[in-house]
Amino acid sequence: MGTPLGDFLRLKRDSTQPEQLGLPEHGRRRSPGLRRADVAARAGVSVEYLTRIEQGRDRNPSVAVLHALGDALALSTAEREHVRYLAKITGDECTGHLGPEPARREVRPSVRETLRLLEPGVAVVTNRLGDLLAWTSAYAAVAAGTGLLDADEPNLTRYVFTDPRARSVFPDWDEVADEQVFDLWLGPKAENAEWLAAELAPAAGPEFTRRMNRHKVPERGVLRLRHPTAGELRLRREYLELPSDSQLLLILLPDDEATSEAIGRLRERAGRGRLRAIS
């Protein structure tokens, strides 16, 4: 049985071509990408050891081995961080640990106060499962008309995969979908698995399940929104981790003057609302 770490390393090896790393071609192959022997040689480990990691038979590679494999596969900084996380949860599976505690839905008073101080900015508190837990009135104004906040307990991941409006709201829907699926790997494992099995996977269909097992690390560039009345908005994203709560504070900043002016008009049209928090 494979592991998340082994699956990621194998998928990365299969998707990397020899010429990308300056390696010679070896003629036609039965499978794409790099040979295990190429990666093992670059990492300074045996082919047999790399095979054991990829197949899940070695669940606790050392930090030095992970670093060497990152160098061998020319992983980005974000991909190296993902490898370290996958190594942790793979080791936890082996030792019987369940990983992080279930994500809190309650937003602490100090975090709500921080949101108030961010007005009139566009900001939201969320978690790795995509639950939207509290937001500024400016966020509500930007989301108005998209359907994102229509549910009693809105969830961005569910919205992206099950609401047909999402493909219009997000012009770069494929990238947004990859981001949401990737974040699920960082969510609380017990709650994550229960939610996926019971609700999201059946409703989201193959677009979701195909992404879930390919471990594509997102670049998270400028987020484009096609607002139903304000037109296209371009937003830069800044994240503040709230590790004790397993939550994130996401701040959306206008990337250009046109977006800044459009958000101002949306806020004026909506009026000054109250901070919303779900508990």
Side-chain angles (χ1 to χ4, degrees):
M1 181 178 178
T3 63
L5 174 63
D7 291 343
F8 174 80
L9 293 174
R10 178 180 51 77
L11 289 168
K12 188 65 182 177
R13 179 171 60 79
D14 287 346
S15 64
T16 303
Q17 300 306 312
E19 57 268 23
Q20 293 177 250
L21 302 182
L23 297 174
E25 289 282 357
H26 295 291
R28 295 185 61 186
R29 295 191 55 210
R30 289 179 296 176
S31 58
L34 299 172
R35 298 169 183 261
R36 279 202 183 104
D38 293 329
V39 176
R42 286 170 59 86
V45 299
S46 69
V47 174
E48 195 230 353
Y49 184 45
L50 177 58
T51 302
R52 291 206 312 270
I53 295 175
E54 287 189 358
Q55 293 179 349
R57 292 184 287 123
D58 189 308
R59 293 171 174 252
N60 290 284
S62 68
V63 173
V65 167
L66 295 176
H67 182 74
L69 289 172
D71 289 343
L73 291 166
L75 300 183
S76 67
T77 300
E79 288 172 329
R80 290 171 187 265
E81 291 176 357
H82 189 50
V83 162
R84 287 194 290 271
Y85 176 78
L86 293 179
K88 180 182 183 305
I89 65 172
T90 294
D92 283 347
E93 287 176 355
C94 186
T95 57
H97 298 161
L98 292 178
E101 293 295 321
R104 289 177 54 178
R105 294 191 58 83
E106 302 82 9
V107 179
R108 286 185 285 115
S110 59
V111 177
R112 290 198 292 270
E113 181 61 26
T114 301
L115 277 179
R116 291 189 183 94
L117 293 174
L118 288 172
E119 293 278 15
V122 183
V124 60
V125 176
T126 182
N127 59 32
R128 296 293 187 180
L129 300 185
D131 294 317
L132 304 179
L133 304 174
W135 52 85
T136 61
S137 60
Y139 185 90
V142 170
T146 66
L148 176 58
L149 299 180
D150 287 358
D152 291 336
E153 295 183 349
N155 180 281
L156 179 58
T157 309
R158 185 190 300 112
Y159 174 79
V160 166
F161 283 100
T162 67
D163 194 315
R165 291 172 289 188
R167 291 180 182 264
S168 175
V169 170
F170 297 110
D172 304 311
W173 185 88
D174 282 315
E175 287 79 4
V176 173
D178 284 338
E179 291 171 3
Q180 292 308 119
V181 169
F182 179 80
D183 282 348
L184 290 175
W185 281 105
L186 307 179
K189 292 167 60 178
E191 182 180 348
N192 189 358
E194 180 180 347
W195 185 54
L196 294 179
E199 179 181 348
L200 185 58
E207 284 283 9
F208 174 79
T209 53
R210 177 173 61 85
R211 285 176 165 83
M212 190 64 196
N213 294 314
R214 70 178 183 175
H215 295 278
K216 182 177 180 180
V217 180
E219 296 181 6
R220 301 189 197 275
V222 171
L223 176 66
R224 294 197 301 149
L225 298 180
R226 187 181 292 121
H227 194 275
T229 61
E232 182 169 309
L233 307 177
R234 294 176 56 85
L235 300 159
R236 288 175 285 114
R237 291 170 284 186
E238 292 293 337
Y239 294 91
L240 176 63
E241 295 270 358
L242 305 172
S244 63
D245 305 311
S246 297
Q247 294 171 355
L248 299 166
L249 173 58
L250 168 62
I251 304 168
L252 297 169
L253 303 169
D255 191 54
D256 52 38
E257 188 61 29
T259 297
S260 181
E261 293 174 356
I263 291 175
R265 290 192 296 270
L266 288 171
R267 291 188 70 252
E268 290 175 5
R269 191 179 309 157
R272 187 170 181 82
R274 293 182 176 180
L275 185 73
R276 170 78 185 275
I278 297 174
S279 59

